[in-house]
Amino acid sequence: MAINERKVAIVGCGFVGSASAFALMESGLFSEMVLIDVNRDKAEGEALDISHGLPFAKPMQIYAGDYSDAGDAAVVIVTAGAGQKPGETRLDLVKKNIGIFRAIIPEIAKYNTEGILLIVANPVDILTYVAAKLSGFPENRVFGSGTVLDTARFKYLLGERLKVDSRSIHAFIIGEHGDSEIAVWSSANVSGIPIHDICEMRGFYEHEKAMKDIADDVKNSAYRIIEKKGATYYGIAESVRRICEAIIRDEKSILPVSSIQHGEFGVEDIALSMPAVVGRSGVQGTVPIRLSEEETKALLASAETLKVVLDDAF
Ligand code: NAD
């Protein structure tokens, strides 16, 4: 089936799927959006509710459907799966959500052979790998939201601390979207000014402590939010919108999405996040940012953590 460049499908209409649908409706990027959920009423309810915002946005068709309706979607976003409960890590979800993916991914691939699969459900790195294998899609067309959200949290926290616009901060979280993720301090900068220099310009000198506190804060953001309100969804919804924008507008933006690595920094046959060029054909290659020795070691440890979980579960 020929792809409709203006169509998106969302599989899973819980907190994350519906917030992403809302963000995409507001964005005006697509003119058709199909919502798919095992709970059909939920998908229909969300489609109606979000459609009622259309007179304030841009015209589009939003409806509940099934996998055959996703056959011509340019992007299929998968958010279906159990979420973390308070105290649960993302890796704890692995068996449950691989089971759900064994049901969903072949259904998507039965009807859609040319679209991009954007994986959001957790553990996102493991599920990205699983989706690539189960779909048989070329690897550039299967990737996960990865640490796009963690990187946004990182920039937000740095922006708040330094009192600068978070969009002027260039810094990445890489590796697992989870406990073993790495804050890449060695290349972090604000409009070209190395991070430690701008910290000192703003009156902050205890770099070691600040780096640890901020990286921990990023890592623990989801746990804190889940403890207070049961789920996280607005930050990830904006991340999904941003990734779709890079794809549909063929922006070739550099985003830390999760994709299967082949030897970069010695990471082999595992999906994790590295800054990558994202455009209409999906992931068009990773960007070899400079890492310190310590960051490289941490990246390899992150990959090993994921490998152990993957080998055990898939
Ligand atoms: P949720 O429970 O609110 O929603 C999950 C939805 O999936 C439900 O509507 C459910 O009916 C549907 N579903 C379950 N099995 C299905 C199937 N076989 N086919 C179709 N639909 C099915 O959960 P949520 O809070 O929306 O979280 C969804 C996922 O997103 C979780 O795995 C969560 O950990 C993850 N998440 C990822 C990020 C990220 O940065 N990648 C951020 C937040 C949440």
Side-chain angles (χ1 to χ4, degrees), residues 83-90 92-93 96 223:
Q84 283 166 267
K85 301 207 171 60
E88 209 174 30
T89 71
R90 294 178 180 91
D92 290 335
L93 299 176
K96 249 186 285 185
Y223 292 119

Side-chain angles (χ1 to χ4, degrees), residues 66-125:
D66 54 37
Y67 290 99
S68 62
D69 296 304
D72 58 348
V75 186
V76 181
I77 302 165
V78 187
T79 76
Q84 283 166 267
K85 301 207 171 60
E88 209 174 30
T89 71
R90 294 178 180 91
L91 293 180
D92 290 335
L93 299 176
V94 71
K95 289 222 163 95
K96 249 186 285 185
N97 287 352
I98 287 182
I100 292 176
F101 267 45
R102 285 193 194 278
I104 289 175
I105 303 295
E107 281 299 301
I108 296 171
K110 188 154 101 189
Y111 296 100
N112 188 319
T113 53
E114 301 297 325
I116 285 179
L117 272 183
L118 173 58
I119 309 302
V120 181
N122 274 322
V124 68
D125 304 292

Side-chain angles (χ1 to χ4, degrees), residues 167-291:
R167 294 171 304 175
S168 300
I169 295 170
H170 302 279
F172 288 106
I173 301 284
I174 62 168
E176 181 205 28
H177 167 60
D179 296 341
S180 69
E181 68 189 23
I182 301 108
V184 184
W185 290 104
S186 61
S187 61
N189 69 85
V190 179
S191 297
I193 306 171
I195 198 77
H196 290 347
D197 293 356
I198 192 144
C199 283
E200 291 179 10
M201 282 164 61
R202 297 298 216 197
F204 298 106
Y205 294 90
E206 287 188 31
H207 302 313
E208 288 302 320
K209 180 174 179 334
M211 288 194 302
K212 186 179 178 318
D213 289 350
I214 291 171
D216 285 350
D217 219 353
V218 172
K219 213 176 286 184
N220 295 326
S221 291
Y223 292 119
R224 279 224 313 282
I225 299 168
I226 289 167
E227 232 172 72
K228 288 178 192 292
K229 57 175 264 189
T232 74
Y233 38 94
Y234 296 124
I236 184 61
E238 278 299 289
S239 308
V240 166
R241 182 199 58 72
R242 178 69 191 99
I243 297 167
C244 286
E245 183 178 57
I247 297 169
I248 293 303
R249 302 188 70 247
D250 195 20
E251 289 182 350
K252 301 175 177 66
S253 302
I254 296 179
L255 299 170
V257 292
S258 181
S259 62
I260 299 182
Q261 306 291 303
H262 292 290
E264 298 85 343
F265 296 97
V267 179
E268 188 64 55
D269 200 34
I270 193 88
L272 50 68
S273 290
M274 287 299 289
V277 181
V278 179
R280 183 59 196 90
S281 59
V283 168
Q284 302 175 348
T286 55
V287 177
I289 52 166
R290 242 180 301 139
L291 298 180

Side-chain angles (χ1 to χ4, degrees), residues 122-203:
N122 274 322
V124 68
D125 304 292
I126 302 286
L127 293 179
T128 296
Y129 185 95
V130 166
K133 300 298 165 194
L134 292 176
S135 65
F137 280 20
E139 287 177 10
N140 60 301
R141 287 202 279 115
V142 187
F143 55 97
S145 57
T147 54
V148 173
L149 172 58
D150 315 63
T151 295
R153 288 171 173 154
F154 192 30
K155 291 183 184 184
Y156 167 75
L157 289 169
L158 282 168
E160 285 296 294
R161 184 176 176 85
L162 298 172
K163 308 247 177 316
V164 294
D165 183 344
S166 53
R167 294 171 304 175
S168 300
I169 295 170
H170 302 279
F172 288 106
I173 301 284
I174 62 168
E176 181 205 28
H177 167 60
D179 296 341
S180 69
E181 68 189 23
I182 301 108
V184 184
W185 290 104
S186 61
S187 61
N189 69 85
V190 179
S191 297
I193 306 171
I195 198 77
H196 290 347
D197 293 356
I198 192 144
C199 283
E200 291 179 10
M201 282 164 61
R202 297 298 216 197

